[in-house]
Amino acid sequence: MHINRRDFIAQSIAVGSLMVAGSAFSQEPESTAARIKRTGKLRLGAINGASPYFTKDLASGQWRGFMVDLGLELAKYLKAEVEWVETTWGNAVLDVQTNKIDAQLGMAPSPARREVVDFSGAIFQNYNTVVAKKGFNFERWDQLNSPNVKVAVDVGSSHDQLVTRILPKANILRFESSAAATMALQSGRVDCQVLVILLSTALLTKLPNVGHIVFPTPPETNPTNVGIRKQTDQTFMKSVNAWLDEARASGKVKSIILSNMQSLVGVPPTAFPPQVHF
């Protein structure tokens, strides 16, 4: 059969395109589920100094915290052994994206993060609170929405995202860390600091004179999830969500959080108001 030059070129381009597409597909990294099954290891990110989420004993090298305990439970569900990989909240997204770790527990699913990593269902809903200086009293979020009110947050955090969204008129001071924002509150440079309840209750237990906790209305919550690398094979994502369903339904998530809050930062279960659920 005779093929003219134009048809030959068109067919050659088509075949070349298929070869490139096939090559690109074959180069997709091994799926997380397949790697865990092959190695028996579950690589999880751990952030030092992020108590009660994560904390590392410098003498023994042992990790503690409620995200650590939840990670161990996930590994048990998957019949794997945890391999802890130290990271930071700032680097964790890239570590998931580049396959350095299999998952990051405790990651908040912001729109920007959803562009590069996938997220499980919520581990729990984190309740946003305000630690206000003594004498600074209010009941609603909109009472903070004034250029006369100085609000401290740690830059790039879920706290930062919240105040940017709901307090556009406030005088927002952004600091490199939550601890730096707290120092600004202690020194009187700001009127208040926005923190999720797990951090605000821990702060007030450690520094009772820094101020008081306010639960502004209407309630503002944000989910805390598991960050997972985007991939074609969704087996690992399905397994994580199945484990989460079981852990929440059995009350295991709640019990792990409350026990760590008490043992690591001295916050008793009675410190949480009725409207807060884990």
Side-chain angles (χ1 to χ4, degrees), residues 143-158:
Q143 290 175 275
L144 300 179
N145 195 25
S146 165
N148 297 321
V149 178
K150 296 180 180 179
V151 182
V153 292
D154 42 326
V155 66
S157 66
S158 62

Side-chain angles (χ1 to χ4, degrees), residues 96-176:
V96 171
Q97 186 183 8
T98 58
N99 201 26
K100 183 178 179 180
I101 57 178
D102 298 316
Q104 179 61 59
L105 278 77
M107 186 178 286
S110 68
R113 287 172 174 171
R114 286 190 183 277
E115 291 292 324
V116 293
V117 299
D118 283 338
F119 286 90
S120 70
I123 302 173
F124 62 91
Q125 289 290 332
N126 227 338
Y127 198 104
N128 287 288
T129 66
V130 179
V131 179
K133 67 182 182 182
K134 290 183 178 181
F136 185 46
N137 301 304
F138 56 94
E139 297 179 352
R140 305 184 314 276
W141 285 105
D142 61 14
Q143 290 175 275
L144 300 179
N145 195 25
S146 165
N148 297 321
V149 178
K150 296 180 180 179
V151 182
V153 292
D154 42 326
V155 66
S157 66
S158 62
H159 314 125
D160 190 356
Q161 295 169 30
L162 173 67
V163 299
T164 300
R165 176 172 58 86
I166 69 172
L167 305 177
K169 297 179 182 178
N171 186 357
I172 301 171
L173 282 74
R174 295 174 171 85
F175 297 87
E176 287 299 317

Side-chain angles (χ1 to χ4, degrees), residues 21 30 38 63 73 87 113 115 117 120 122 133 140 148 156 187 209 234 244 249 278:
E30 180 182 26
R38 175 175 58 81
W63 288 97
E73 290 292 330
T87 185
R113 287 172 174 171
E115 291 292 324
V117 299
S120 70
K133 67 182 182 182
R140 305 184 314 276
N148 297 321
S187 65
N209 294 324
Q234 290 292 295
L244 275 173
F278 299 114

Side-chain angles (χ1 to χ4, degrees), residues 51-52 64 198 200-207 257-272:
S51 183
R64 297 180 63 196
L198 296 176
S200 61
T201 51
L203 174 60
L204 265 293
T205 299
K206 182 180 179 182
L207 300 171
I257 292 174
L258 294 181
S259 64
N260 275 275
M261 289 297 294
Q262 185 151 28
S263 64
L264 290 181
V265 291
V267 177
T270 53
F272 301 100

